Amino acid sequence: MKQDRAAASSALGLRKTRDLPFWRTATARPAKPAPSGLRSRPTEARARRHGSADGFERTAFGSSAPSLSRRPQNMLSNFVRGLFRCQLPARALHNSAVMNSNSERAVAQTTGAADPEVDTVHLRPFTPADLEAAHALSMEVQWPHRPEDWRFVAALGAGVVAECRGQLVGTAHCWKWPDRRATLGMVIVAPPMQGRRIGAQMMRALLDDLAQFDVSLHATAEGRALYERLGFVALGEVRQHQGTARPAPLAAMTPGLRLRPLGRADVDRLVALDAAASGMARGEAVRALIADAQGIVLDRDGEPVGFSLLRRFGRGYAIGPVVAPDASGARALIAHWTSQCAGRFLRIDVEAGSGLGDWLEDQGLNRAGSVEMMTRGTPPRRGPASGLYALINQALG
């Protein structure tokens, strides 16, 4: 009887399953159609015809599945080998990524969607040839910088740009100072490209070159979370004041102090004053500013103890830096410029702890916004306690 049943099974093409492990005794199911772009696994007959050397059928991804053509005594070893092959090697993952990219490109060609390779963002160093596009990008996000303002900061540092489809869609700059300190700024991403982590890519590209530096920046509320993820810590607030300047009443000063015009012989002393007040040896920037700006010195017995600079910027003029031994000296330095620029647009960025906010509003310079000073590494010793009452700008500190 058993022989009759075996003969019948053989005639019907059925396999003996009594000695097979439990994972191979399941009833065979009809093969599902292969996904688009992938070839289906060979049938048992095709596997025998092509002669798989190790008894495994190859898939499009380089992984494998146990062949049904093996004898029962080999099934356990083949199954265990199959478990280990479920983890794709790096080459297989690469091939998978290429196949997915090809599939996306094929979909894009048929549906009109954006080609993922064409939309890839590339980073490269900033060059003078990028100034025009960078200025246009800053106008797109409603920054006030003129081409001349861009040229000034770009000449003092280095930067990266992000490009997509041949268009500049992002910028970021850094400025290195000799005392192993650096500042970051001019970080812009085109509005249509925001949300794609372009800013993070540019920041990491700059920070890779600043591993040995203590780095500072001024962050907007929108950018603060990104900078915190990159290791920056908030230290204090800087407030932007701007408006149409009004003539200021004569400011009282500490006895023995007077204002006088800046002279060539003062430059080295002013560079030293700025370094002590800002906590950064940024003499190159201060010298470049003095060459391009108007200056006033706070003098005691023929020796400079403070100064401030006025330069063209954006819609009008900007004051900064302002270095003074005390708040009354800072007010006297600023009042000189508000009176000289009465009726003109004027901007200044001051430390929140300077105590100048209400007084600046009386001079027509209303508070227009604020940023957070952040540092990765040892923070510079700066602020009113060190003599810094106003920044050069938010990029340079």
Side-chain angles (χ1 to χ4, degrees):
M1 181 67 66
K2 290 183 179 180
Q3 293 176 349
D4 293 341
R5 285 199 299 267
S9 298
S10 176
L12 292 174
L14 302 178
R15 297 185 58 188
K16 182 179 178 182
T17 61
R18 180 173 56 83
D19 298 325
L20 294 180
F22 71 90
W23 59 83
R24 299 309 306 277
T25 59
T27 305
R29 297 179 181 177
K32 294 182 180 181
S36 176
L38 302 180
R39 64 179 178 84
S40 60
R41 293 178 177 174
T43 61
E44 181 181 357
R46 287 174 61 193
R48 289 195 299 268
R49 183 166 64 251
H50 293 294
S52 176
D54 59 1
F56 281 72
E57 298 171 358
R58 300 299 175 188
T59 69
F61 293 110
S63 60
S64 50
S67 170
L68 296 177
S69 61
R70 282 302 192 189
R71 291 175 300 181
Q73 57 266 33
N74 294 332
M75 297 311 301
L76 179 58
S77 61
N78 284 349
F79 173 73
V80 174
R81 292 165 65 190
L83 288 178
F84 284 99
R85 294 187 182 214
C86 289
Q87 296 184 355
L88 298 179
R91 183 176 181 83
L93 290 173
H94 170 73
N95 292 340
S96 175
V98 171
M99 294 178 65
N100 289 337
S101 177
N102 290 339
S103 299
E104 290 175 359
R105 190 172 295 109
V107 171
Q109 291 173 352
T110 57
T111 65
D115 187 326
E117 184 169 306
V118 173
D119 280 348
T120 299
V121 174
H122 304 279
L123 302 187
R124 63 167 176 78
F126 185 96
T127 70
D130 297 315
L131 284 170
E132 182 178 352
H135 175 245
L137 184 62
S138 63
M139 292 180 65
E140 188 176 355
V141 295
Q142 299 183 344
W143 283 19
H145 298 66
R146 305 169 303 148
E148 295 86 347
D149 303 323
W150 263 101
R151 193 172 295 112
F152 175 80
V153 294
L156 292 170
V160 296
V161 299
E163 285 187 322
C164 182
R165 298 191 178 192
Q167 300 294 317
L168 190 146
V169 297
T171 67
H173 278 70
C174 70
W175 296 269
K176 298 178 183 178
W177 312 120
D179 54 352
R180 289 290 177 183
R181 293 195 177 275
T183 54
L184 295 177
M186 307 302 282
V187 182
I188 312 174
V189 176
M193 303 296 289
Q194 291 175 6
R196 297 181 56 176
R197 298 189 178 275
I198 295 173
Q201 292 179 48
M202 294 189 296
M203 289 294 295
R204 289 191 178 95
L206 292 178
L207 290 171
D208 284 346
D209 191 42
L210 298 173
Q212 305 302 318
F213 286 74
D214 297 312
V215 187
S216 300
L217 56 79
H218 293 94
T220 61
E222 296 79 8
R224 178 170 173 171
L226 164 63
Y227 302 132
E228 287 177 339
R229 289 195 297 270
L230 293 172
F232 286 84
V233 177
L235 297 177
E237 185 183 15
V238 171
R239 295 174 180 172
Q240 175 184 333
H241 287 257
Q242 63 185 35
T244 303
R246 294 197 288 264
L250 188 63
M253 291 188 292
T254 302
L257 297 180
R258 67 183 182 92
L259 296 180
R260 64 169 175 82
L262 186 154
R264 288 186 179 181
D266 298 319
V267 174
D268 290 343
R269 174 60 179 162
L270 301 189
V271 167
L273 285 173
D274 176 79
S278 68
M280 297 182 289
R282 53 185 187 179
E284 182 184 1
V286 175
R287 293 178 191 276
L289 272 174
I290 290 173
D292 192 49
Q294 302 176 55
I296 193 78
V297 170
L298 190 62
D299 182 283
R300 178 189 287 127
D301 299 329
E303 181 74 12
V305 294
F307 73 101
S308 65
L309 301 175
L310 177 78
R311 69 188 187 280
R312 284 280 289 114
F313 175 81
R315 298 166 52 188
Y317 291 83
I319 302 172
V322 175
V323 176
D326 53 35
S328 64
R331 284 193 293 269
L333 289 165
I334 296 169
H336 174 83
W337 299 123
T338 58
S339 297
Q340 181 172 313
C341 296
R344 299 178 181 178
F345 187 85
L346 196 57
R347 169 177 170 167
I348 186 171
D349 294 277
V350 299
E351 298 276 354
S354 65
L356 299 176
D358 292 342
W359 180 82
L360 286 170
E361 296 200 1
D362 292 339
Q363 316 314 312
L365 306 183
N366 297 319
R367 181 176 172 182
S370 64
V371 292
E372 195 78 26
M373 179 190 172
M374 304 185 75
T375 298
R376 193 177 79 163
T378 304
R381 184 178 178 182
R382 79 168 213 191
S386 300
L388 185 70
Y389 283 85
L391 313 183
I392 293 176
N393 57 29
Q394 293 181 11
L396 298 175

